[in-house]
Amino acid sequence: MLTYCVRRLICRCETIPRTSRCCRVAFARQHFSTATPVRSVAEDSDHTKTLMQLCTDRYYIASGQLHRDSFQRGTNCGYGPLGMELKKNILEQWWNSVIGFRAEVFGISTLHASKDRTTERDGQLRVVDTENLRQILSQRELSKDQLIQKLQTYIQNGASLRTSLFQGALEQYVPSLELVNRKLPFGLAETGLCFQPSGGPSCPDEVTQSSLVWFCSPRTSSQWLDYWARHRLQWWRKFALGPSDFSCSDITEEELAGRASRGVKIVYNFPWGQEALETLLSRGDAELLQTHKSARNKLQCLDGRKSVVPYAISVTGNLERGVLAYLYNSLQQVKKVDSKQRLQQRKVLKLHPILSPVKVALDMGRGATVELRQVCEGLLKEFLEGGVSAWPGYIETMPTSMEQLNTKYDEMGVLFTVVISDNTLESGLLQVRSRDTTIKETMHISEVKNFLARYISAAQNI
């Protein structure tokens, strides 16, 4: 048993074929058609309450595990099926944007806990066996001072849990030099779970971090910091409904507190204030030298013809906070008149098509239930085999009107709803409804998969 438990837009039209270009323009009109409204303080509070309720009702946050303070911090919330899929999609896009962006970036994986991290600062979270602690505490022959000293020694000898991924990249620096023939610049990227002190006696906060450590020449470190800051801000804005809510700012000397010579943070403007999504620091060479015991000869790389010990630039992201930022950014509340001429508020989670956990929901209209279900199952299998995430709405047994289904799927952020009916059995035609436009189109069943693939591909390239 452990004391610290592990809880859990720019389209290059000249080079794009006309058909693909039209698809991309259609996507851009649908996804970015509504400007982000300016809200008052009271509206911000209501927006937060609405989002919290939606996240629990629509499978983003595990029921019973959500509190307002932890929700706003983006920690200690168990994900539901859709929340886990959203987080996975963000992680995948981050990885592609870093590893696939430059040939000199390589992926690594380091340990969650280690006894060898002698360069870590004091205050690290450590893993200890409570049974051994009880045995030490039961030694009544020890004086108070002896007991304290023995406990301190035992805890200090325990494995430390990582609080960031930076140290792991420093340790992997030397083994990675052969990959680049000892030439600068190059980078090491990793994503994984880290642990932050919770400020109380409970288990530490769990944070999924993304990390890029960029090793470069001391003379160009400032330019590289600016380069990565621009790249990261552009990436966050790419998937945003309201890009202006994402911005970057310099980190003050007081905030740096000696950790780095210069820093930049990518922030999101939450209702309660700005929070950092990614932090970029120019950290010099001191930590690299400390990790490798000042062995300059084995650390030197070629900067042109000159051998230098590189500077490290760290780009560290908080994925939980990133998930929260995109949820806030994508929630729209629009007034509408229902079929009975009553004024209602339409809530829609307008996530970017690439990030949306469910691309299409399959449902049945009225008709021969057995035959319609067979068609749904076949189409679902086709979607899944094609890599299109689908929601099997047809398996739900509770009778629901189409208006209620559309409301549910809009709140889930589902891109398209496909309805199979008797007409499908007779002619192969089905109904496809768009989340972003609410327009319903009739389409042949053989065209749906290719239509979705083209739409998602166009969204990827906007």
Side-chain angles (χ1 to χ4, degrees):
M1 182 177 180
L2 303 181
T3 298
Y4 293 106
C5 60
V6 179
R7 266 197 327 247
R8 324 183 334 153
L9 243 199
I10 300 175
C11 186
R12 295 187 292 275
C13 295
E14 311 84 33
T15 61
I16 302 171
R18 181 175 179 80
T19 54
S20 177
R21 191 185 313 166
C22 292
C23 192
R24 293 185 191 184
V25 171
F27 159 73
R29 286 175 178 167
Q30 289 181 22
H31 190 67
F32 299 107
S33 58
T34 307
T36 304
V38 177
R39 296 187 293 268
S40 67
V41 175
E43 287 174 329
D44 280 337
S45 180
D46 290 341
H47 193 76
T48 299
K49 291 178 182 177
T50 300
L51 182 61
M52 288 177 65
Q53 190 61 51
L54 183 147
C55 284
T56 53
D57 291 345
R58 301 308 180 199
Y59 321 110
Y60 279 88
I61 301 296
S63 179
Q65 296 194 16
L66 185 61
H67 302 283
R68 190 183 182 99
D69 57 341
S70 62
F71 183 74
Q72 292 182 351
R73 293 202 321 271
T75 60
N76 292 353
C77 292
Y79 289 105
L82 267 62
M84 194 63 227
E85 191 70 18
L86 172 60
K87 180 180 174 181
K88 183 195 73 123
N89 290 345
I90 294 174
L91 273 169
E92 183 179 342
Q93 291 304 313
W94 182 92
W95 190 260
N96 292 340
S97 74
V98 174
I99 296 292
F101 181 61
R102 295 190 65 94
E104 309 96 331
V105 180
F106 306 95
I108 59 172
S109 178
T110 58
L111 299 175
H112 290 73
S114 172
K115 286 191 175 184
D116 301 324
R117 289 178 182 163
T118 55
T119 58
E120 300 260 13
R121 295 189 298 271
D122 291 337
Q124 286 292 302
L125 298 169
R126 294 188 179 273
V127 181
V128 295
D129 190 325
T130 54
E131 185 59 36
N132 288 339
L133 280 178
R134 289 193 190 98
Q135 291 177 8
I136 295 173
L137 291 169
S138 66
Q139 297 176 18
R140 299 184 181 277
E141 69 277 7
L142 297 177
S143 67
K144 182 180 177 181
D145 291 340
Q146 289 174 326
L147 183 61
I148 292 173
Q149 185 177 4
K150 194 162 187 177
L151 284 172
Q152 287 177 339
T153 302
Y154 176 68
I155 292 172
Q156 288 300 318
N157 288 334
S160 62
L161 293 173
R162 64 185 184 188
T163 57
S164 77
L165 302 174
F166 178 66
Q167 185 63 34
L170 296 184
E171 292 167 1
Q172 289 291 318
Y173 167 79
V174 171
S176 302
L177 288 178
E178 297 306 319
L179 291 171
V180 293
N181 201 25
R182 287 187 170 269
K183 290 183 180 179
L184 296 174
F186 74 95
L188 298 176
E190 182 179 10
T191 61
L193 195 63
C194 294
F195 302 87
Q196 305 289 339
S198 62
S202 61
C203 290
D205 291 338
E206 298 177 8
V207 179
T208 304
Q209 283 192 2
S210 58
S211 170
L212 167 67
V213 180
W214 185 251
F215 300 100
C216 61
S217 166
R219 64 183 178 83
T220 58
S221 61
S222 182
Q223 293 96 310
W224 278 117
L225 182 68
D226 293 334
Y227 170 87
W228 283 111
R230 288 193 301 270
H231 175 263
R232 299 311 307 148
L233 178 60
Q234 185 181 29
W235 182 84
W236 284 102
R237 286 179 168 177
K238 174 181 178 179
F239 302 107
L241 185 63
S244 62
D245 285 332
F246 295 83
S247 60
C248 71
S249 60
D250 289 331
I251 301 175
T252 64
E253 289 187 12
E254 186 177 341
E255 290 177 295
L256 288 174
R259 293 180 299 161
S261 60
R262 186 176 159 228
V264 177
K265 56 185 176 182
I266 311 296
V267 300
Y268 181 76
N269 189 30
F270 288 101
W272 56 87
Q274 291 186 338
E275 296 274 7
L277 305 177
E278 277 189 309
T279 303
L280 297 86
L281 299 174
S282 180
R283 308 180 74 134
D285 60 5
E287 290 162 300
L288 183 62
L289 287 166
Q290 187 179 7
T291 299
H292 296 279
K293 306 185 189 306
S294 300
R296 286 183 170 272
N297 288 337
K298 70 176 184 180
L299 298 178
Q300 287 183 335
C301 281
L302 290 175
D303 174 25
R305 295 182 179 180
K306 186 179 179 181
S307 292
V308 297
V309 175
Y311 276 16
I313 294 174
S314 65
V315 183
T316 305
N318 184 322
L319 268 297
E320 267 72 31
R321 200 171 287 157
V323 169
L324 186 60
Y326 280 128
L327 286 171
Y328 263 101
N329 191 257
S330 64
L331 177 60
Q332 285 192 340
Q333 301 182 75
V334 183
K335 292 181 179 179
K336 68 167 187 174
V337 178
D338 65 12
S339 57
K340 296 182 179 180
Q341 300 304 306
R342 293 174 300 191
L343 185 64
Q344 292 186 342
Q345 196 171 52
R346 174 182 177 242
K347 298 189 291 286
V348 53
L349 205 56
K350 212 169 184 182
L351 288 162
H352 190 282
I354 300 301
L355 301 184
S356 182
V358 181
K359 314 303 184 196
V360 58
L362 282 168
D363 261 286
M364 299 187 302
R366 295 179 180 178
T369 305
V370 175
E371 289 81 358
L372 293 179
R373 189 183 181 98
Q374 288 174 345
V375 175
C376 286
E377 288 172 348
L379 197 55
L380 178 70
K381 183 179 179 182
E382 188 176 338
F383 285 149
L384 296 178
E385 288 176 349
V388 177
S389 56
W391 186 267
Y394 60 89
I395 66 175
E396 297 185 19
T397 56
M398 292 290 291
T400 311
S401 68
M402 284 309 302
E403 191 168 312
Q404 290 172 318
L405 276 178
N406 291 337
T407 297
K408 173 184 175 179
Y409 292 143
D410 285 347
E411 292 178 1
M412 289 170 61
V414 178
L415 285 178
F416 294 98
T417 304
V418 173
V419 179
I420 311 293
S421 65
D422 274 343
N423 198 27
T424 311
L425 301 177
E426 295 170 4
S427 61
L429 297 177
L430 44 72
Q431 189 181 81
V432 181
R433 176 189 179 271
S434 167
R435 175 199 70 187
D436 296 335
T437 65
T438 71
I439 293 173
K440 299 173 182 177
E441 298 181 60
T442 300
M443 193 176 300
H444 195 272
I445 192 170
S446 62
E447 300 173 349
V448 176
K449 180 182 172 182
N450 288 336
F451 165 76
L452 291 171
R454 289 196 303 271
Y455 186 89
I456 295 168
S457 176
Q460 177 73 63
N461 293 309
I462 284 292

Short mmCIF file of all heavy atoms in Angstrom, two decimals, residues 153-201:
data_model
loop_
_atom_site.label_atom_id
_atom_site.label_comp_id
_atom_site.label_asym_id
_atom_site.label_seq_id
_atom_site.Cartn_x
_atom_site.Cartn_y
_atom_site.Cartn_z
N THR A 153 15.20 9.76 6.95
CA THR A 153 16.10 8.95 6.12
C THR A 153 15.31 7.97 5.26
O THR A 153 15.60 7.79 4.06
CB THR A 153 17.09 8.17 7.02
OG1 THR A 153 17.82 9.10 7.82
CG2 THR A 153 18.05 7.34 6.17
N TYR A 154 14.31 7.33 5.86
CA TYR A 154 13.51 6.35 5.12
C TYR A 154 12.75 7.01 3.97
O TYR A 154 12.74 6.50 2.84
CB TYR A 154 12.51 5.67 6.06
CG TYR A 154 11.58 4.72 5.35
CD1 TYR A 154 12.05 3.53 4.79
CD2 TYR A 154 10.23 5.01 5.22
CE1 TYR A 154 11.20 2.67 4.11
CE2 TYR A 154 9.37 4.16 4.55
CZ TYR A 154 9.86 2.99 4.00
OH TYR A 154 9.03 2.13 3.32
N ILE A 155 12.16 8.16 4.24
CA ILE A 155 11.39 8.86 3.20
C ILE A 155 12.31 9.35 2.09
O ILE A 155 12.01 9.23 0.90
CB ILE A 155 10.58 10.02 3.82
CG1 ILE A 155 9.48 9.46 4.72
CG2 ILE A 155 9.98 10.90 2.73
CD1 ILE A 155 8.75 10.52 5.53
N GLN A 156 13.48 9.89 2.47
CA GLN A 156 14.41 10.41 1.46
C GLN A 156 14.96 9.30 0.57
O GLN A 156 15.31 9.54 -0.59
CB GLN A 156 15.58 11.14 2.14
CG GLN A 156 15.21 12.48 2.75
CD GLN A 156 14.68 13.45 1.71
OE1 GLN A 156 15.20 13.56 0.60
NE2 GLN A 156 13.62 14.16 2.06
N ASN A 157 15.02 8.08 1.09
CA ASN A 157 15.52 6.96 0.29
C ASN A 157 14.44 6.34 -0.60
O ASN A 157 14.72 5.46 -1.41
CB ASN A 157 16.09 5.87 1.20
CG ASN A 157 17.41 6.29 1.82
OD1 ASN A 157 18.12 7.13 1.26
ND2 ASN A 157 17.73 5.74 2.97
N GLY A 158 13.20 6.80 -0.44
CA GLY A 158 12.11 6.28 -1.28
C GLY A 158 12.19 6.84 -2.69
O GLY A 158 12.81 7.87 -2.95
N ALA A 159 11.54 6.16 -3.62
CA ALA A 159 11.52 6.61 -5.02
C ALA A 159 10.69 7.89 -5.14
O ALA A 159 9.64 8.02 -4.50
CB ALA A 159 10.93 5.52 -5.90
N SER A 160 11.18 8.84 -5.92
CA SER A 160 10.45 10.09 -6.12
C SER A 160 9.55 9.99 -7.34
O SER A 160 9.95 9.45 -8.38
CB SER A 160 11.43 11.26 -6.29
OG SER A 160 12.23 11.06 -7.43
N LEU A 161 8.32 10.50 -7.19
CA LEU A 161 7.40 10.58 -8.32
C LEU A 161 7.74 11.81 -9.14
O LEU A 161 8.03 12.87 -8.58
CB LEU A 161 5.95 10.66 -7.83
CG LEU A 161 5.39 9.43 -7.12
CD1 LEU A 161 4.01 9.74 -6.56
CD2 LEU A 161 5.32 8.24 -8.07
N ARG A 162 7.68 11.69 -10.44
CA ARG A 162 8.04 12.84 -11.27
C ARG A 162 6.94 13.90 -11.21
O ARG A 162 5.75 13.61 -11.22
CB ARG A 162 8.27 12.41 -12.72
CG ARG A 162 7.03 11.86 -13.42
CD ARG A 162 7.37 11.34 -14.79
NE ARG A 162 6.19 10.89 -15.51
CZ ARG A 162 6.22 10.25 -16.68
NH1 ARG A 162 7.38 9.94 -17.23
NH2 ARG A 162 5.10 9.90 -17.28
N THR A 163 7.35 15.14 -11.12
CA THR A 163 6.43 16.27 -11.15
C THR A 163 6.44 16.95 -12.51
O THR A 163 5.60 17.82 -12.78
CB THR A 163 6.79 17.30 -10.07
OG1 THR A 163 8.15 17.72 -10.25
CG2 THR A 163 6.64 16.69 -8.68
N SER A 164 7.40 16.59 -13.36
CA SER A 164 7.43 17.08 -14.74
C SER A 164 8.21 16.08 -15.58
O SER A 164 8.83 15.15 -15.06
CB SER A 164 8.08 18.46 -14.82
OG SER A 164 9.50 18.35 -14.73
N LEU A 165 8.18 16.28 -16.89
CA LEU A 165 8.89 15.38 -17.82
C LEU A 165 10.25 15.93 -18.22
O LEU A 165 11.00 15.26 -18.96
CB LEU A 165 8.03 15.16 -19.07
CG LEU A 165 6.63 14.58 -18.83
CD1 LEU A 165 5.84 14.54 -20.13
CD2 LEU A 165 6.72 13.19 -18.22
N PHE A 166 10.58 17.11 -17.74
CA PHE A 166 11.82 17.78 -18.17
C PHE A 166 13.06 16.99 -17.78
O PHE A 166 13.97 16.79 -18.60
CB PHE A 166 11.87 19.19 -17.57
CG PHE A 166 13.12 19.95 -17.89
CD1 PHE A 166 13.40 20.34 -19.19
CD2 PHE A 166 14.02 20.28 -16.89
CE1 PHE A 166 14.56 21.05 -19.49
CE2 PHE A 166 15.17 20.99 -17.17
CZ PHE A 166 15.44 21.37 -18.48
N GLN A 167 13.10 16.51 -16.53
CA GLN A 167 14.28 15.81 -16.06
C GLN A 167 14.54 14.54 -16.88
O GLN A 167 15.69 14.20 -17.17
CB GLN A 167 14.13 15.46 -14.59
CG GLN A 167 15.35 14.81 -13.95
CD GLN A 167 16.57 15.72 -13.95
OE1 GLN A 167 16.42 16.93 -13.83
NE2 GLN A 167 17.74 15.14 -14.09
N GLY A 168 13.47 13.84 -17.26
CA GLY A 168 13.63 12.63 -18.07
C GLY A 168 14.29 12.91 -19.41
O GLY A 168 15.10 12.12 -19.90
N ALA A 169 13.94 14.06 -20.02
CA ALA A 169 14.56 14.44 -21.30
C ALA A 169 16.04 14.75 -21.13
O ALA A 169 16.86 14.40 -21.99
CB ALA A 169 13.83 15.64 -21.89
N LEU A 170 16.40 15.40 -20.02
CA LEU A 170 17.82 15.68 -19.75
C LEU A 170 18.61 14.37 -19.61
O LEU A 170 19.74 14.27 -20.10
CB LEU A 170 17.97 16.51 -18.47
CG LEU A 170 17.37 17.92 -18.47
CD1 LEU A 170 17.70 18.62 -17.16
CD2 LEU A 170 17.88 18.74 -19.66
N GLU A 171 17.99 13.38 -18.95
CA GLU A 171 18.67 12.10 -18.78
C GLU A 171 18.82 11.35 -20.10
O GLU A 171 19.78 10.59 -20.28
CB GLU A 171 17.88 11.24 -17.78
CG GLU A 171 17.91 11.81 -16.36
CD GLU A 171 16.90 11.15 -15.44
OE1 GLU A 171 16.18 10.23 -15.91
OE2 GLU A 171 16.80 11.54 -14.26
N GLN A 172 17.90 11.58 -21.03
CA GLN A 172 17.95 10.91 -22.33
C GLN A 172 18.79 11.67 -23.37
O GLN A 172 18.93 11.22 -24.50
CB GLN A 172 16.53 10.73 -22.88
CG GLN A 172 15.69 9.71 -22.14
CD GLN A 172 16.18 8.30 -22.36
OE1 GLN A 172 16.53 7.93 -23.48
NE2 GLN A 172 16.24 7.51 -21.30
N TYR A 173 19.34 12.81 -22.97
CA TYR A 173 20.08 13.66 -23.91
C TYR A 173 21.28 12.93 -24.51
O TYR A 173 21.43 12.85 -25.74
CB TYR A 173 20.52 14.94 -23.21
CG TYR A 173 21.54 15.74 -23.99
CD1 TYR A 173 21.16 16.54 -25.05
CD2 TYR A 173 22.91 15.67 -23.68
CE1 TYR A 173 22.09 17.26 -25.78
CE2 TYR A 173 23.85 16.39 -24.39
CZ TYR A 173 23.43 17.18 -25.44
OH TYR A 173 24.36 17.88 -26.16
N VAL A 174 22.16 12.40 -23.66
CA VAL A 174 23.38 11.76 -24.16
C VAL A 174 23.08 10.55 -25.05
O VAL A 174 23.65 10.43 -26.14
CB VAL A 174 24.31 11.38 -22.99
CG1 VAL A 174 25.48 10.53 -23.48
CG2 VAL A 174 24.84 12.65 -22.31
N PRO A 175 22.18 9.62 -24.64
CA PRO A 175 21.88 8.48 -25.52
C PRO A 175 21.29 8.88 -26.87
O PRO A 175 21.34 8.09 -27.81
CB PRO A 175 20.85 7.67 -24.70
CG PRO A 175 21.08 8.06 -23.29
CD PRO A 175 21.50 9.49 -23.33
N SER A 176 20.74 10.11 -26.96
CA SER A 176 20.10 10.54 -28.21
C SER A 176 21.06 11.23 -29.18
O SER A 176 20.68 11.51 -30.32
CB SER A 176 18.93 11.48 -27.90
OG SER A 176 18.00 10.86 -27.05
N LEU A 177 22.26 11.52 -28.72
CA LEU A 177 23.18 12.30 -29.57
C LEU A 177 23.53 11.61 -30.88
O LEU A 177 23.73 12.25 -31.91
CB LEU A 177 24.46 12.61 -28.78
CG LEU A 177 24.33 13.64 -27.66
CD1 LEU A 177 25.64 13.82 -26.94
CD2 LEU A 177 23.84 14.97 -28.21
N GLU A 178 23.64 10.27 -30.84
CA GLU A 178 24.00 9.55 -32.06
C GLU A 178 22.92 9.66 -33.13
O GLU A 178 23.20 9.51 -34.33
CB GLU A 178 24.26 8.07 -31.73
CG GLU A 178 25.44 7.85 -30.77
CD GLU A 178 26.72 8.51 -31.26
OE1 GLU A 178 27.00 8.42 -32.49
OE2 GLU A 178 27.44 9.11 -30.44
N LEU A 179 21.67 9.88 -32.72
CA LEU A 179 20.58 10.02 -33.69
C LEU A 179 20.77 11.22 -34.60
O LEU A 179 20.31 11.22 -35.75
CB LEU A 179 19.23 10.15 -32.96
CG LEU A 179 18.70 8.92 -32.21
CD1 LEU A 179 17.49 9.30 -31.37
CD2 LEU A 179 18.33 7.82 -33.20
N VAL A 180 21.43 12.25 -34.08
CA VAL A 180 21.59 13.50 -34.83
C VAL A 180 23.04 13.76 -35.19
O VAL A 180 23.40 14.88 -35.61
CB VAL A 180 21.02 14.68 -34.03
CG1 VAL A 180 19.51 14.56 -33.90
CG2 VAL A 180 21.67 14.79 -32.65
N ASN A 181 23.89 12.74 -35.02
CA ASN A 181 25.31 12.88 -35.35
C ASN A 181 25.94 14.06 -34.61
O ASN A 181 26.78 14.77 -35.15
CB ASN A 181 25.49 13.05 -36.88
CG ASN A 181 26.89 12.70 -37.32
OD1 ASN A 181 27.61 11.93 -36.67
ND2 ASN A 181 27.31 13.27 -38.44
N ARG A 182 25.48 14.27 -33.37
CA ARG A 182 25.97 15.34 -32.49
C ARG A 182 25.84 16.74 -33.11
O ARG A 182 26.67 17.63 -32.88
CB ARG A 182 27.43 15.09 -32.10
CG ARG A 182 27.59 13.95 -31.10
CD ARG A 182 29.00 13.82 -30.58
NE ARG A 182 29.05 12.88 -29.46
CZ ARG A 182 28.92 13.20 -28.19
NH1 ARG A 182 28.75 14.48 -27.86
NH2 ARG A 182 28.97 12.28 -27.24
N LYS A 183 24.77 16.95 -33.87
CA LYS A 183 24.54 18.26 -34.48
C LYS A 183 23.30 18.90 -33.88
O LYS A 183 22.30 18.25 -33.65
CB LYS A 183 24.38 18.13 -36.00
CG LYS A 183 25.66 17.75 -36.73
CD LYS A 183 25.44 17.70 -38.23
CE LYS A 183 26.72 17.32 -38.97
NZ LYS A 183 26.51 17.24 -40.44
N LEU A 184 23.38 20.20 -33.66
CA LEU A 184 22.25 20.98 -33.14
C LEU A 184 21.51 21.65 -34.30
O LEU A 184 22.11 21.91 -35.35
CB LEU A 184 22.76 22.05 -32.17
CG LEU A 184 23.42 21.54 -30.88
CD1 LEU A 184 24.00 22.72 -30.09
CD2 LEU A 184 22.43 20.77 -30.03
N PRO A 185 20.20 21.95 -34.10
CA PRO A 185 19.38 21.67 -32.92
C PRO A 185 18.64 20.34 -33.06
O PRO A 185 18.53 19.80 -34.16
CB PRO A 185 18.39 22.84 -32.92
CG PRO A 185 18.15 23.09 -34.38
CD PRO A 185 19.48 22.81 -35.07
N PHE A 186 18.09 19.84 -31.93
CA PHE A 186 17.19 18.69 -31.97
C PHE A 186 16.35 18.70 -30.70
O PHE A 186 16.63 19.45 -29.75
CB PHE A 186 17.96 17.38 -32.12
CG PHE A 186 18.69 16.93 -30.87
CD1 PHE A 186 18.11 16.03 -29.99
CD2 PHE A 186 19.97 17.39 -30.59
CE1 PHE A 186 18.78 15.60 -28.86
CE2 PHE A 186 20.65 16.97 -29.45
CZ PHE A 186 20.06 16.08 -28.58
N GLY A 187 15.29 17.89 -30.70
CA GLY A 187 14.37 17.91 -29.56
C GLY A 187 13.92 16.52 -29.15
O GLY A 187 13.96 15.58 -29.95
N LEU A 188 13.51 16.39 -27.89
CA LEU A 188 12.97 15.16 -27.34
C LEU A 188 11.57 15.45 -26.81
O LEU A 188 11.38 16.38 -26.02
CB LEU A 188 13.86 14.62 -26.22
CG LEU A 188 15.30 14.25 -26.61
CD1 LEU A 188 16.10 13.83 -25.39
CD2 LEU A 188 15.31 13.15 -27.67
N ALA A 189 10.59 14.65 -27.25
CA ALA A 189 9.18 14.89 -26.89
C ALA A 189 8.62 13.71 -26.12
O ALA A 189 9.00 12.55 -26.36
CB ALA A 189 8.35 15.14 -28.15
N GLU A 190 7.70 14.00 -25.21
CA GLU A 190 7.08 12.95 -24.39
C GLU A 190 5.75 13.45 -23.86
O GLU A 190 5.57 14.64 -23.63
CB GLU A 190 8.00 12.57 -23.22
CG GLU A 190 7.45 11.45 -22.35
CD GLU A 190 8.40 11.07 -21.21
OE1 GLU A 190 9.39 11.79 -20.98
OE2 GLU A 190 8.13 10.06 -20.55
N THR A 191 4.82 12.54 -23.68
CA THR A 191 3.58 12.84 -22.96
C THR A 191 3.42 11.79 -21.86
O THR A 191 3.82 10.64 -22.04
CB THR A 191 2.35 12.81 -23.87
OG1 THR A 191 2.19 11.50 -24.44
CG2 THR A 191 2.46 13.83 -24.99
N GLY A 192 2.85 12.19 -20.72
CA GLY A 192 2.68 11.22 -19.65
C GLY A 192 2.14 11.84 -18.38
O GLY A 192 1.99 13.07 -18.27
N LEU A 193 1.87 10.97 -17.43
CA LEU A 193 1.29 11.39 -16.15
C LEU A 193 2.36 11.92 -15.22
O LEU A 193 3.42 11.31 -15.06
CB LEU A 193 0.59 10.19 -15.52
CG LEU A 193 -0.39 10.47 -14.37
CD1 LEU A 193 -1.56 11.31 -14.85
CD2 LEU A 193 -0.88 9.16 -13.77
N CYS A 194 2.08 13.07 -14.61
CA CYS A 194 2.95 13.64 -13.59
C CYS A 194 2.11 13.93 -12.34
O CYS A 194 0.89 13.96 -12.40
CB CYS A 194 3.61 14.93 -14.09
SG CYS A 194 4.76 14.65 -15.46
N PHE A 195 2.78 14.17 -11.23
CA PHE A 195 2.10 14.34 -9.96
C PHE A 195 2.50 15.68 -9.34
O PHE A 195 3.68 16.00 -9.26
CB PHE A 195 2.45 13.20 -9.00
CG PHE A 195 2.09 11.84 -9.56
CD1 PHE A 195 2.99 11.15 -10.37
CD2 PHE A 195 0.86 11.27 -9.30
CE1 PHE A 195 2.67 9.91 -10.90
CE2 PHE A 195 0.52 10.04 -9.82
CZ PHE A 195 1.43 9.35 -10.62
N GLN A 196 1.48 16.44 -8.93
CA GLN A 196 1.72 17.74 -8.32
C GLN A 196 1.21 17.73 -6.89
O GLN A 196 0.15 17.15 -6.61
CB GLN A 196 0.98 18.84 -9.11
CG GLN A 196 1.32 18.89 -10.58
CD GLN A 196 2.72 19.39 -10.84
OE1 GLN A 196 3.30 20.05 -9.99
NE2 GLN A 196 3.26 19.08 -12.01
N PRO A 197 1.93 18.35 -5.94
CA PRO A 197 1.43 18.42 -4.55
C PRO A 197 0.05 19.07 -4.51
O PRO A 197 -0.19 20.09 -5.16
CB PRO A 197 2.47 19.30 -3.86
CG PRO A 197 3.71 19.15 -4.69
CD PRO A 197 3.25 18.99 -6.10
N SER A 198 -0.85 18.47 -3.76
CA SER A 198 -2.23 18.96 -3.71
C SER A 198 -2.44 20.04 -2.67
O SER A 198 -3.50 20.64 -2.59
CB SER A 198 -3.19 17.80 -3.41
OG SER A 198 -2.89 17.22 -2.15
N GLY A 199 -1.43 20.27 -1.82
CA GLY A 199 -1.55 21.29 -0.78
C GLY A 199 -2.29 20.80 0.45
O GLY A 199 -2.66 21.57 1.32
N GLY A 200 -2.51 19.49 0.55
CA GLY A 200 -3.20 18.92 1.70
C GLY A 200 -2.72 17.50 1.94
O GLY A 200 -1.78 17.03 1.30
N PRO A 201 -3.39 16.78 2.84
CA PRO A 201 -2.96 15.42 3.18
C PRO A 201 -3.42 14.37 2.19
O PRO A 201 -3.09 13.21 2.33
CB PRO A 201 -3.60 15.19 4.55
CG PRO A 201 -4.84 16.04 4.52
CD PRO A 201 -4.48 17.25 3.70
#
